[in-house]
Amino acid sequence: MGGMRRREGDYDGAFEYWSEAAGLGDVGAHYQLSVVYREGLGAEKDKKKELHHLEEAAIGGHTFARHNLGIMEGKNGRPDRAVKHLIIAAKLGQDQSLSSLRRLYTEGIVSKEDLAGAL
């Protein structure tokens, strides 16, 4: 329902739907709220709220949320935390995380053992 509202351009309606669903523990809704707070469509941009909902989604098993946490940690200068998130996401089947780990391996940031463990 939230996705349909978003596609129709009803960002406020999508935000309301995802907020209610997240309150009920829906990890997909938490992920969508992280996108809302990142893009500012349906709510004002808010990095803290984006991170909160991204973490909630990742803890709940949302693999792309876990991948995005890894990317955020890397951009924030915390490569060790980034690698941990990417390894978890890759082990859960997130192919983009595996690609990111391979790239980080060629840059000398990921060890051969960590890369092998993510496969």
Side-chain angles (χ1 to χ4, degrees):
M1 182 67 79
M4 182 178 73
R5 289 183 178 174
R6 182 183 172 128
R7 283 187 296 279
E8 292 172 351
D10 180 9
Y11 300 113
D12 293 336
F15 176 76
E16 287 177 30
Y17 179 83
W18 287 323
S19 293
E20 187 173 327
L24 296 172
D26 186 301
V27 296
H30 277 293
Y31 176 75
Q32 291 301 330
L33 285 173
S34 77
V35 174
V36 166
Y37 286 117
R38 183 182 69 230
E39 295 177 355
L41 297 173
E44 284 190 44
K45 289 183 180 183
D46 187 319
K47 284 288 185 190
K48 285 184 180 181
K49 289 181 181 179
E50 174 192 358
L51 181 59
H52 166 75
H53 288 288
L54 206 53
E55 288 173 340
E56 289 293 319
I59 289 167
H62 195 285
T63 61
F64 200 63
R66 181 69 69 176
H67 171 81
N68 284 356
L69 277 176
I71 299 303
M72 284 180 76
E73 293 290 6
K75 288 180 180 179
N76 290 331
R78 294 186 288 265
D80 290 345
R81 289 181 64 139
V83 168
K84 287 178 183 179
H85 285 299
L86 293 171
I87 288 172
I88 292 168
K91 286 182 176 181
L92 293 172
Q94 182 54 248
D95 290 337
Q96 287 179 290
S97 293
L98 190 54
S99 296
S100 294
L101 288 167
R102 286 184 178 129
R103 182 180 47 79
L104 292 171
Y105 171 74
T106 64
E107 295 173 9
I109 296 171
V110 172
S111 70
K112 188 174 188 176
E113 293 79 21
D114 283 341
L115 181 60
L119 296 175

PDB file of all heavy atoms in Angstrom, residues 71-111:
ATOM      1  N   ILE A  71      27.566   0.826   3.540  1.00  0.00           N
ATOM      2  CA  ILE A  71      27.974   1.941   2.679  1.00  0.00           C
ATOM      3  C   ILE A  71      28.054   3.224   3.495  1.00  0.00           C
ATOM      4  O   ILE A  71      29.020   3.996   3.366  1.00  0.00           O
ATOM      5  CB  ILE A  71      26.992   2.090   1.491  1.00  0.00           C
ATOM      6  CG1 ILE A  71      26.977   0.829   0.619  1.00  0.00           C
ATOM      7  CG2 ILE A  71      27.325   3.330   0.671  1.00  0.00           C
ATOM      8  CD1 ILE A  71      28.330   0.415   0.060  1.00  0.00           C
ATOM      9  N   MET A  72      27.062   3.469   4.356  1.00  0.00           N
ATOM     10  CA  MET A  72      27.072   4.674   5.193  1.00  0.00           C
ATOM     11  C   MET A  72      28.282   4.696   6.116  1.00  0.00           C
ATOM     12  O   MET A  72      28.936   5.725   6.271  1.00  0.00           O
ATOM     13  CB  MET A  72      25.796   4.766   6.038  1.00  0.00           C
ATOM     14  CG  MET A  72      24.578   5.214   5.270  1.00  0.00           C
ATOM     15  SD  MET A  72      23.105   5.293   6.318  1.00  0.00           S
ATOM     16  CE  MET A  72      23.421   6.808   7.209  1.00  0.00           C
ATOM     17  N   GLU A  73      28.581   3.562   6.733  1.00  0.00           N
ATOM     18  CA  GLU A  73      29.732   3.495   7.641  1.00  0.00           C
ATOM     19  C   GLU A  73      31.029   3.773   6.883  1.00  0.00           C
ATOM     20  O   GLU A  73      31.910   4.470   7.395  1.00  0.00           O
ATOM     21  CB  GLU A  73      29.808   2.136   8.340  1.00  0.00           C
ATOM     22  CG  GLU A  73      28.692   1.866   9.312  1.00  0.00           C
ATOM     23  CD  GLU A  73      28.749   2.703  10.580  1.00  0.00           C
ATOM     24  OE1 GLU A  73      29.590   3.604  10.708  1.00  0.00           O
ATOM     25  OE2 GLU A  73      27.914   2.452  11.464  1.00  0.00           O
ATOM     26  N   GLY A  74      31.133   3.260   5.679  1.00  0.00           N
ATOM     27  CA  GLY A  74      32.321   3.534   4.869  1.00  0.00           C
ATOM     28  C   GLY A  74      32.460   5.012   4.559  1.00  0.00           C
ATOM     29  O   GLY A  74      33.542   5.585   4.673  1.00  0.00           O
ATOM     30  N   LYS A  75      31.355   5.644   4.188  1.00  0.00           N
ATOM     31  CA  LYS A  75      31.382   7.078   3.890  1.00  0.00           C
ATOM     32  C   LYS A  75      31.671   7.909   5.122  1.00  0.00           C
ATOM     33  O   LYS A  75      32.197   9.021   5.013  1.00  0.00           O
ATOM     34  CB  LYS A  75      30.044   7.513   3.276  1.00  0.00           C
ATOM     35  CG  LYS A  75      29.836   7.019   1.869  1.00  0.00           C
ATOM     36  CD  LYS A  75      28.499   7.476   1.311  1.00  0.00           C
ATOM     37  CE  LYS A  75      28.315   6.974  -0.112  1.00  0.00           C
ATOM     38  NZ  LYS A  75      27.008   7.389  -0.665  1.00  0.00           N
ATOM     39  N   ASN A  76      31.336   7.381   6.301  1.00  0.00           N
ATOM     40  CA  ASN A  76      31.573   8.095   7.550  1.00  0.00           C
ATOM     41  C   ASN A  76      32.946   7.795   8.148  1.00  0.00           C
ATOM     42  O   ASN A  76      33.213   8.131   9.298  1.00  0.00           O
ATOM     43  CB  ASN A  76      30.473   7.773   8.573  1.00  0.00           C
ATOM     44  CG  ASN A  76      29.144   8.380   8.180  1.00  0.00           C
ATOM     45  OD1 ASN A  76      29.090   9.414   7.528  1.00  0.00           O
ATOM     46  ND2 ASN A  76      28.058   7.747   8.586  1.00  0.00           N
ATOM     47  N   GLY A  77      33.796   7.140   7.359  1.00  0.00           N
ATOM     48  CA  GLY A  77      35.170   6.892   7.798  1.00  0.00           C
ATOM     49  C   GLY A  77      35.335   5.758   8.789  1.00  0.00           C
ATOM     50  O   GLY A  77      36.304   5.733   9.539  1.00  0.00           O
ATOM     51  N   ARG A  78      34.404   4.808   8.792  1.00  0.00           N
ATOM     52  CA  ARG A  78      34.489   3.660   9.697  1.00  0.00           C
ATOM     53  C   ARG A  78      34.535   2.371   8.872  1.00  0.00           C
ATOM     54  O   ARG A  78      33.556   1.605   8.829  1.00  0.00           O
ATOM     55  CB  ARG A  78      33.306   3.671  10.668  1.00  0.00           C
ATOM     56  CG  ARG A  78      33.343   4.855  11.628  1.00  0.00           C
ATOM     57  CD  ARG A  78      32.251   4.780  12.673  1.00  0.00           C
ATOM     58  NE  ARG A  78      30.933   5.036  12.138  1.00  0.00           N
ATOM     59  CZ  ARG A  78      30.325   6.223  12.156  1.00  0.00           C
ATOM     60  NH1 ARG A  78      30.939   7.267  12.663  1.00  0.00           N
ATOM     61  NH2 ARG A  78      29.115   6.364  11.669  1.00  0.00           N
ATOM     62  N   PRO A  79      35.668   2.130   8.214  1.00  0.00           N
ATOM     63  CA  PRO A  79      35.747   0.969   7.313  1.00  0.00           C
ATOM     64  C   PRO A  79      35.559  -0.373   8.018  1.00  0.00           C
ATOM     65  O   PRO A  79      34.993  -1.290   7.427  1.00  0.00           O
ATOM     66  CB  PRO A  79      37.140   1.085   6.691  1.00  0.00           C
ATOM     67  CG  PRO A  79      37.915   1.960   7.618  1.00  0.00           C
ATOM     68  CD  PRO A  79      36.924   2.883   8.254  1.00  0.00           C
ATOM     69  N   ASP A  80      36.013  -0.504   9.266  1.00  0.00           N
ATOM     70  CA  ASP A  80      35.845  -1.780   9.967  1.00  0.00           C
ATOM     71  C   ASP A  80      34.364  -2.115  10.156  1.00  0.00           C
ATOM     72  O   ASP A  80      33.942  -3.253   9.936  1.00  0.00           O
ATOM     73  CB  ASP A  80      36.540  -1.751  11.329  1.00  0.00           C
ATOM     74  CG  ASP A  80      38.055  -1.734  11.200  1.00  0.00           C
ATOM     75  OD1 ASP A  80      38.556  -2.037  10.096  1.00  0.00           O
ATOM     76  OD2 ASP A  80      38.723  -1.433  12.194  1.00  0.00           O
ATOM     77  N   ARG A  81      33.581  -1.109  10.544  1.00  0.00           N
ATOM     78  CA  ARG A  81      32.139  -1.322  10.717  1.00  0.00           C
ATOM     79  C   ARG A  81      31.473  -1.558   9.365  1.00  0.00           C
ATOM     80  O   ARG A  81      30.565  -2.379   9.244  1.00  0.00           O
ATOM     81  CB  ARG A  81      31.506  -0.129  11.421  1.00  0.00           C
ATOM     82  CG  ARG A  81      31.900  -0.046  12.886  1.00  0.00           C
ATOM     83  CD  ARG A  81      31.245   1.122  13.550  1.00  0.00           C
ATOM     84  NE  ARG A  81      29.799   0.925  13.545  1.00  0.00           N
ATOM     85  CZ  ARG A  81      29.006   1.205  14.546  1.00  0.00           C
ATOM     86  NH1 ARG A  81      29.500   1.712  15.656  1.00  0.00           N
ATOM     87  NH2 ARG A  81      27.708   1.010  14.462  1.00  0.00           N
ATOM     88  N   ALA A  82      31.940  -0.839   8.351  1.00  0.00           N
ATOM     89  CA  ALA A  82      31.386  -1.018   7.003  1.00  0.00           C
ATOM     90  C   ALA A  82      31.563  -2.459   6.545  1.00  0.00           C
ATOM     91  O   ALA A  82      30.620  -3.089   6.053  1.00  0.00           O
ATOM     92  CB  ALA A  82      32.067  -0.057   6.024  1.00  0.00           C
ATOM     93  N   VAL A  83      32.753  -2.982   6.729  1.00  0.00           N
ATOM     94  CA  VAL A  83      33.055  -4.353   6.296  1.00  0.00           C
ATOM     95  C   VAL A  83      32.178  -5.354   7.039  1.00  0.00           C
ATOM     96  O   VAL A  83      31.644  -6.292   6.433  1.00  0.00           O
ATOM     97  CB  VAL A  83      34.558  -4.662   6.478  1.00  0.00           C
ATOM     98  CG1 VAL A  83      34.848  -6.146   6.311  1.00  0.00           C
ATOM     99  CG2 VAL A  83      35.387  -3.837   5.487  1.00  0.00           C
ATOM    100  N   LYS A  84      31.987  -5.156   8.335  1.00  0.00           N
ATOM    101  CA  LYS A  84      31.143  -6.079   9.108  1.00  0.00           C
ATOM    102  C   LYS A  84      29.715  -6.113   8.561  1.00  0.00           C
ATOM    103  O   LYS A  84      29.136  -7.185   8.399  1.00  0.00           O
ATOM    104  CB  LYS A  84      31.144  -5.690  10.582  1.00  0.00           C
ATOM    105  CG  LYS A  84      32.449  -6.011  11.278  1.00  0.00           C
ATOM    106  CD  LYS A  84      32.432  -5.572  12.721  1.00  0.00           C
ATOM    107  CE  LYS A  84      33.784  -5.839  13.360  1.00  0.00           C
ATOM    108  NZ  LYS A  84      33.840  -5.413  14.758  1.00  0.00           N
ATOM    109  N   HIS A  85      29.163  -4.934   8.292  1.00  0.00           N
ATOM    110  CA  HIS A  85      27.804  -4.893   7.747  1.00  0.00           C
ATOM    111  C   HIS A  85      27.743  -5.550   6.370  1.00  0.00           C
ATOM    112  O   HIS A  85      26.802  -6.293   6.068  1.00  0.00           O
ATOM    113  CB  HIS A  85      27.308  -3.443   7.630  1.00  0.00           C
ATOM    114  CG  HIS A  85      26.930  -2.834   8.939  1.00  0.00           C
ATOM    115  ND1 HIS A  85      25.929  -3.326   9.742  1.00  0.00           N
ATOM    116  CD2 HIS A  85      27.418  -1.738   9.584  1.00  0.00           C
ATOM    117  CE1 HIS A  85      25.811  -2.583  10.828  1.00  0.00           C
ATOM    118  NE2 HIS A  85      26.701  -1.609  10.755  1.00  0.00           N
ATOM    119  N   LEU A  86      28.736  -5.272   5.540  1.00  0.00           N
ATOM    120  CA  LEU A  86      28.741  -5.840   4.189  1.00  0.00           C
ATOM    121  C   LEU A  86      28.891  -7.360   4.220  1.00  0.00           C
ATOM    122  O   LEU A  86      28.265  -8.063   3.421  1.00  0.00           O
ATOM    123  CB  LEU A  86      29.840  -5.194   3.347  1.00  0.00           C
ATOM    124  CG  LEU A  86      29.630  -3.715   3.022  1.00  0.00           C
ATOM    125  CD1 LEU A  86      30.878  -3.125   2.364  1.00  0.00           C
ATOM    126  CD2 LEU A  86      28.402  -3.504   2.149  1.00  0.00           C
ATOM    127  N   ILE A  87      29.693  -7.870   5.136  1.00  0.00           N
ATOM    128  CA  ILE A  87      29.850  -9.323   5.258  1.00  0.00           C
ATOM    129  C   ILE A  87      28.526  -9.963   5.664  1.00  0.00           C
ATOM    130  O   ILE A  87      28.110 -10.983   5.086  1.00  0.00           O
ATOM    131  CB  ILE A  87      30.973  -9.679   6.259  1.00  0.00           C
ATOM    132  CG1 ILE A  87      32.335  -9.351   5.644  1.00  0.00           C
ATOM    133  CG2 ILE A  87      30.906 -11.146   6.668  1.00  0.00           C
ATOM    134  CD1 ILE A  87      33.501  -9.474   6.618  1.00  0.00           C
ATOM    135  N   ILE A  88      27.851  -9.371   6.641  1.00  0.00           N
ATOM    136  CA  ILE A  88      26.557  -9.914   7.074  1.00  0.00           C
ATOM    137  C   ILE A  88      25.579  -9.924   5.898  1.00  0.00           C
ATOM    138  O   ILE A  88      24.908 -10.929   5.639  1.00  0.00           O
ATOM    139  CB  ILE A  88      25.990  -9.116   8.261  1.00  0.00           C
ATOM    140  CG1 ILE A  88      26.844  -9.340   9.504  1.00  0.00           C
ATOM    141  CG2 ILE A  88      24.533  -9.511   8.528  1.00  0.00           C
ATOM    142  CD1 ILE A  88      26.542  -8.382  10.649  1.00  0.00           C
ATOM    143  N   ALA A  89      25.504  -8.791   5.192  1.00  0.00           N
ATOM    144  CA  ALA A  89      24.573  -8.701   4.061  1.00  0.00           C
ATOM    145  C   ALA A  89      24.926  -9.706   2.969  1.00  0.00           C
ATOM    146  O   ALA A  89      24.039 -10.344   2.392  1.00  0.00           O
ATOM    147  CB  ALA A  89      24.555  -7.281   3.508  1.00  0.00           C
ATOM    148  N   ALA A  90      26.209  -9.858   2.685  1.00  0.00           N
ATOM    149  CA  ALA A  90      26.635 -10.810   1.650  1.00  0.00           C
ATOM    150  C   ALA A  90      26.274 -12.234   2.054  1.00  0.00           C
ATOM    151  O   ALA A  90      25.800 -13.021   1.225  1.00  0.00           O
ATOM    152  CB  ALA A  90      28.136 -10.687   1.403  1.00  0.00           C
ATOM    153  N   LYS A  91      26.469 -12.574   3.323  1.00  0.00           N
ATOM    154  CA  LYS A  91      26.119 -13.914   3.795  1.00  0.00           C
ATOM    155  C   LYS A  91      24.621 -14.171   3.706  1.00  0.00           C
ATOM    156  O   LYS A  91      24.184 -15.317   3.609  1.00  0.00           O
ATOM    157  CB  LYS A  91      26.604 -14.119   5.227  1.00  0.00           C
ATOM    158  CG  LYS A  91      28.101 -14.318   5.325  1.00  0.00           C
ATOM    159  CD  LYS A  91      28.519 -14.566   6.756  1.00  0.00           C
ATOM    160  CE  LYS A  91      29.992 -14.857   6.848  1.00  0.00           C
ATOM    161  NZ  LYS A  91      30.401 -15.133   8.245  1.00  0.00           N
ATOM    162  N   LEU A  92      23.838 -13.088   3.749  1.00  0.00           N
ATOM    163  CA  LEU A  92      22.386 -13.220   3.623  1.00  0.00           C
ATOM    164  C   LEU A  92      21.916 -13.172   2.173  1.00  0.00           C
ATOM    165  O   LEU A  92      20.729 -13.161   1.901  1.00  0.00           O
ATOM    166  CB  LEU A  92      21.693 -12.117   4.434  1.00  0.00           C
ATOM    167  CG  LEU A  92      21.855 -12.216   5.949  1.00  0.00           C
ATOM    168  CD1 LEU A  92      21.303 -10.968   6.627  1.00  0.00           C
ATOM    169  CD2 LEU A  92      21.157 -13.465   6.480  1.00  0.00           C
ATOM    170  N   GLY A  93      22.885 -13.109   1.234  1.00  0.00           N
ATOM    171  CA  GLY A  93      22.542 -13.177  -0.182  1.00  0.00           C
ATOM    172  C   GLY A  93      22.511 -11.856  -0.923  1.00  0.00           C
ATOM    173  O   GLY A  93      22.081 -11.815  -2.080  1.00  0.00           O
ATOM    174  N   GLN A  94      22.978 -10.786  -0.309  1.00  0.00           N
ATOM    175  CA  GLN A  94      22.969  -9.471  -0.949  1.00  0.00           C
ATOM    176  C   GLN A  94      24.175  -9.371  -1.895  1.00  0.00           C
ATOM    177  O   GLN A  94      25.307  -9.169  -1.464  1.00  0.00           O
ATOM    178  CB  GLN A  94      23.001  -8.363   0.110  1.00  0.00           C
ATOM    179  CG  GLN A  94      22.943  -6.963  -0.415  1.00  0.00           C
ATOM    180  CD  GLN A  94      21.775  -6.695  -1.323  1.00  0.00           C
ATOM    181  OE1 GLN A  94      21.994  -6.491  -2.510  1.00  0.00           O
ATOM    182  NE2 GLN A  94      20.567  -6.716  -0.817  1.00  0.00           N
ATOM    183  N   ASP A  95      23.927  -9.527  -3.193  1.00  0.00           N
ATOM    184  CA  ASP A  95      25.000  -9.548  -4.191  1.00  0.00           C
ATOM    185  C   ASP A  95      25.762  -8.233  -4.265  1.00  0.00           C
ATOM    186  O   ASP A  95      26.968  -8.235  -4.517  1.00  0.00           O
ATOM    187  CB  ASP A  95      24.441  -9.893  -5.573  1.00  0.00           C
ATOM    188  CG  ASP A  95      23.986 -11.340  -5.671  1.00  0.00           C
ATOM    189  OD1 ASP A  95      24.465 -12.180  -4.875  1.00  0.00           O
ATOM    190  OD2 ASP A  95      23.149 -11.628  -6.544  1.00  0.00           O
ATOM    191  N   GLN A  96      25.091  -7.105  -4.058  1.00  0.00           N
ATOM    192  CA  GLN A  96      25.780  -5.809  -4.104  1.00  0.00           C
ATOM    193  C   GLN A  96      26.820  -5.714  -2.991  1.00  0.00           C
ATOM    194  O   GLN A  96      27.868  -5.101  -3.179  1.00  0.00           O
ATOM    195  CB  GLN A  96      24.785  -4.655  -3.994  1.00  0.00           C
ATOM    196  CG  GLN A  96      23.974  -4.463  -5.255  1.00  0.00           C
ATOM    197  CD  GLN A  96      22.977  -3.338  -5.096  1.00  0.00           C
ATOM    198  OE1 GLN A  96      22.013  -3.463  -4.364  1.00  0.00           O
ATOM    199  NE2 GLN A  96      23.238  -2.244  -5.783  1.00  0.00           N
ATOM    200  N   SER A  97      26.535  -6.319  -1.856  1.00  0.00           N
ATOM    201  CA  SER A  97      27.492  -6.312  -0.753  1.00  0.00           C
ATOM    202  C   SER A  97      28.724  -7.132  -1.121  1.00  0.00           C
ATOM    203  O   SER A  97      29.855  -6.737  -0.821  1.00  0.00           O
ATOM    204  CB  SER A  97      26.858  -6.866   0.522  1.00  0.00           C
ATOM    205  OG  SER A  97      25.859  -6.000   0.976  1.00  0.00           O
ATOM    206  N   LEU A  98      28.505  -8.253  -1.770  1.00  0.00           N
ATOM    207  CA  LEU A  98      29.625  -9.080  -2.202  1.00  0.00           C
ATOM    208  C   LEU A  98      30.489  -8.316  -3.206  1.00  0.00           C
ATOM    209  O   LEU A  98      31.722  -8.331  -3.116  1.00  0.00           O
ATOM    210  CB  LEU A  98      29.121 -10.389  -2.794  1.00  0.00           C
ATOM    211  CG  LEU A  98      30.162 -11.455  -3.078  1.00  0.00           C
ATOM    212  CD1 LEU A  98      30.988 -11.766  -1.839  1.00  0.00           C
ATOM    213  CD2 LEU A  98      29.478 -12.715  -3.579  1.00  0.00           C
ATOM    214  N   SER A  99      29.865  -7.614  -4.121  1.00  0.00           N
ATOM    215  CA  SER A  99      30.613  -6.797  -5.079  1.00  0.00           C
ATOM    216  C   SER A  99      31.409  -5.709  -4.367  1.00  0.00           C
ATOM    217  O   SER A  99      32.565  -5.444  -4.709  1.00  0.00           O
ATOM    218  CB  SER A  99      29.661  -6.149  -6.091  1.00  0.00           C
ATOM    219  OG  SER A  99      29.030  -7.125  -6.863  1.00  0.00           O
ATOM    220  N   SER A 100      30.787  -5.092  -3.368  1.00  0.00           N
ATOM    221  CA  SER A 100      31.481  -4.053  -2.600  1.00  0.00           C
ATOM    222  C   SER A 100      32.672  -4.640  -1.852  1.00  0.00           C
ATOM    223  O   SER A 100      33.747  -4.030  -1.802  1.00  0.00           O
ATOM    224  CB  SER A 100      30.526  -3.390  -1.607  1.00  0.00           C
ATOM    225  OG  SER A 100      29.519  -2.688  -2.278  1.00  0.00           O
ATOM    226  N   LEU A 101      32.496  -5.824  -1.278  1.00  0.00           N
ATOM    227  CA  LEU A 101      33.597  -6.476  -0.567  1.00  0.00           C
ATOM    228  C   LEU A 101      34.740  -6.820  -1.512  1.00  0.00           C
ATOM    229  O   LEU A 101      35.922  -6.658  -1.160  1.00  0.00           O
ATOM    230  CB  LEU A 101      33.100  -7.732   0.145  1.00  0.00           C
ATOM    231  CG  LEU A 101      32.231  -7.486   1.375  1.00  0.00           C
ATOM    232  CD1 LEU A 101      31.533  -8.767   1.797  1.00  0.00           C
ATOM    233  CD2 LEU A 101      33.068  -6.915   2.512  1.00  0.00           C
ATOM    234  N   ARG A 102      34.416  -7.276  -2.709  1.00  0.00           N
ATOM    235  CA  ARG A 102      35.468  -7.581  -3.699  1.00  0.00           C
ATOM    236  C   ARG A 102      36.258  -6.321  -4.051  1.00  0.00           C
ATOM    237  O   ARG A 102      37.478  -6.354  -4.152  1.00  0.00           O
ATOM    238  CB  ARG A 102      34.859  -8.195  -4.952  1.00  0.00           C
ATOM    239  CG  ARG A 102      34.425  -9.622  -4.772  1.00  0.00           C
ATOM    240  CD  ARG A 102      33.915 -10.227  -6.069  1.00  0.00           C
ATOM    241  NE  ARG A 102      33.558 -11.603  -5.890  1.00  0.00           N
ATOM    242  CZ  ARG A 102      32.405 -12.137  -6.254  1.00  0.00           C
ATOM    243  NH1 ARG A 102      31.488 -11.386  -6.839  1.00  0.00           N
ATOM    244  NH2 ARG A 102      32.162 -13.404  -6.046  1.00  0.00           N
ATOM    245  N   ARG A 103      35.540  -5.208  -4.231  1.00  0.00           N
ATOM    246  CA  ARG A 103      36.204  -3.943  -4.540  1.00  0.00           C
ATOM    247  C   ARG A 103      37.095  -3.507  -3.368  1.00  0.00           C
ATOM    248  O   ARG A 103      38.241  -3.114  -3.561  1.00  0.00           O
ATOM    249  CB  ARG A 103      35.177  -2.858  -4.844  1.00  0.00           C
ATOM    250  CG  ARG A 103      35.796  -1.516  -5.215  1.00  0.00           C
ATOM    251  CD  ARG A 103      34.756  -0.454  -5.514  1.00  0.00           C
ATOM    252  NE  ARG A 103      33.676  -0.369  -4.540  1.00  0.00           N
ATOM    253  CZ  ARG A 103      33.769   0.239  -3.359  1.00  0.00           C
ATOM    254  NH1 ARG A 103      34.892   0.796  -2.976  1.00  0.00           N
ATOM    255  NH2 ARG A 103      32.731   0.269  -2.546  1.00  0.00           N
ATOM    256  N   LEU A 104      36.579  -3.636  -2.158  1.00  0.00           N
ATOM    257  CA  LEU A 104      37.354  -3.256  -0.976  1.00  0.00           C
ATOM    258  C   LEU A 104      38.563  -4.175  -0.786  1.00  0.00           C
ATOM    259  O   LEU A 104      39.597  -3.741  -0.277  1.00  0.00           O
ATOM    260  CB  LEU A 104      36.461  -3.260   0.270  1.00  0.00           C
ATOM    261  CG  LEU A 104      35.380  -2.183   0.300  1.00  0.00           C
ATOM    262  CD1 LEU A 104      34.426  -2.411   1.469  1.00  0.00           C
ATOM    263  CD2 LEU A 104      35.999  -0.793   0.365  1.00  0.00           C
ATOM    264  N   TYR A 105      38.443  -5.427  -1.218  1.00  0.00           N
ATOM    265  CA  TYR A 105      39.581  -6.344  -1.166  1.00  0.00           C
ATOM    266  C   TYR A 105      40.693  -5.856  -2.091  1.00  0.00           C
ATOM    267  O   TYR A 105      41.863  -5.823  -1.702  1.00  0.00           O
ATOM    268  CB  TYR A 105      39.143  -7.758  -1.543  1.00  0.00           C
ATOM    269  CG  TYR A 105      40.291  -8.713  -1.708  1.00  0.00           C
ATOM    270  CD1 TYR A 105      40.977  -9.196  -0.602  1.00  0.00           C
ATOM    271  CD2 TYR A 105      40.710  -9.117  -2.975  1.00  0.00           C
ATOM    272  CE1 TYR A 105      42.045 -10.064  -0.736  1.00  0.00           C
ATOM    273  CE2 TYR A 105      41.778  -9.992  -3.127  1.00  0.00           C
ATOM    274  CZ  TYR A 105      42.447 -10.453  -2.009  1.00  0.00           C
ATOM    275  OH  TYR A 105      43.509 -11.308  -2.164  1.00  0.00           O
ATOM    276  N   THR A 106      40.334  -5.440  -3.303  1.00  0.00           N
ATOM    277  CA  THR A 106      41.351  -4.951  -4.241  1.00  0.00           C
ATOM    278  C   THR A 106      42.002  -3.658  -3.741  1.00  0.00           C
ATOM    279  O   THR A 106      43.127  -3.356  -4.114  1.00  0.00           O
ATOM    280  CB  THR A 106      40.773  -4.713  -5.656  1.00  0.00           C
ATOM    281  OG1 THR A 106      39.792  -3.685  -5.602  1.00  0.00           O
ATOM    282  CG2 THR A 106      40.178  -5.985  -6.233  1.00  0.00           C
ATOM    283  N   GLU A 107      41.284  -2.922  -2.884  1.00  0.00           N
ATOM    284  CA  GLU A 107      41.827  -1.689  -2.308  1.00  0.00           C
ATOM    285  C   GLU A 107      42.608  -1.954  -1.021  1.00  0.00           C
ATOM    286  O   GLU A 107      43.138  -1.026  -0.407  1.00  0.00           O
ATOM    287  CB  GLU A 107      40.695  -0.694  -2.030  1.00  0.00           C
ATOM    288  CG  GLU A 107      39.997  -0.216  -3.284  1.00  0.00           C
ATOM    289  CD  GLU A 107      38.764   0.632  -2.992  1.00  0.00           C
ATOM    290  OE1 GLU A 107      38.522   0.998  -1.819  1.00  0.00           O
ATOM    291  OE2 GLU A 107      38.021   0.917  -3.948  1.00  0.00           O
ATOM    292  N   GLY A 108      42.659  -3.222  -0.595  1.00  0.00           N
ATOM    293  CA  GLY A 108      43.412  -3.577   0.604  1.00  0.00           C
ATOM    294  C   GLY A 108      42.671  -3.323   1.911  1.00  0.00           C
ATOM    295  O   GLY A 108      43.275  -3.362   2.981  1.00  0.00           O
ATOM    296  N   ILE A 109      41.373  -3.093   1.854  1.00  0.00           N
ATOM    297  CA  ILE A 109      40.597  -2.807   3.057  1.00  0.00           C
ATOM    298  C   ILE A 109      40.011  -4.085   3.655  1.00  0.00           C
ATOM    299  O   ILE A 109      39.871  -4.206   4.867  1.00  0.00           O
ATOM    300  CB  ILE A 109      39.479  -1.773   2.737  1.00  0.00           C
ATOM    301  CG1 ILE A 109      40.136  -0.456   2.316  1.00  0.00           C
ATOM    302  CG2 ILE A 109      38.537  -1.578   3.907  1.00  0.00           C
ATOM    303  CD1 ILE A 109      39.186   0.577   1.764  1.00  0.00           C
ATOM    304  N   VAL A 110      39.698  -5.049   2.803  1.00  0.00           N
ATOM    305  CA  VAL A 110      39.135  -6.326   3.251  1.00  0.00           C
ATOM    306  C   VAL A 110      40.197  -7.405   3.111  1.00  0.00           C
ATOM    307  O   VAL A 110      40.898  -7.473   2.091  1.00  0.00           O
ATOM    308  CB  VAL A 110      37.887  -6.693   2.398  1.00  0.00           C
ATOM    309  CG1 VAL A 110      37.404  -8.096   2.709  1.00  0.00           C
ATOM    310  CG2 VAL A 110      36.783  -5.692   2.625  1.00  0.00           C
ATOM    311  N   SER A 111      40.326  -8.234   4.146  1.00  0.00           N
ATOM    312  CA  SER A 111      41.296  -9.323   4.093  1.00  0.00           C
ATOM    313  C   SER A 111      40.785 -10.458   3.209  1.00  0.00           C
ATOM    314  O   SER A 111      39.588 -10.574   2.950  1.00  0.00           O
ATOM    315  CB  SER A 111      41.554  -9.863   5.506  1.00  0.00           C
ATOM    316  OG  SER A 111      40.414 -10.562   5.980  1.00  0.00           O
TER     317      SER A 111
END
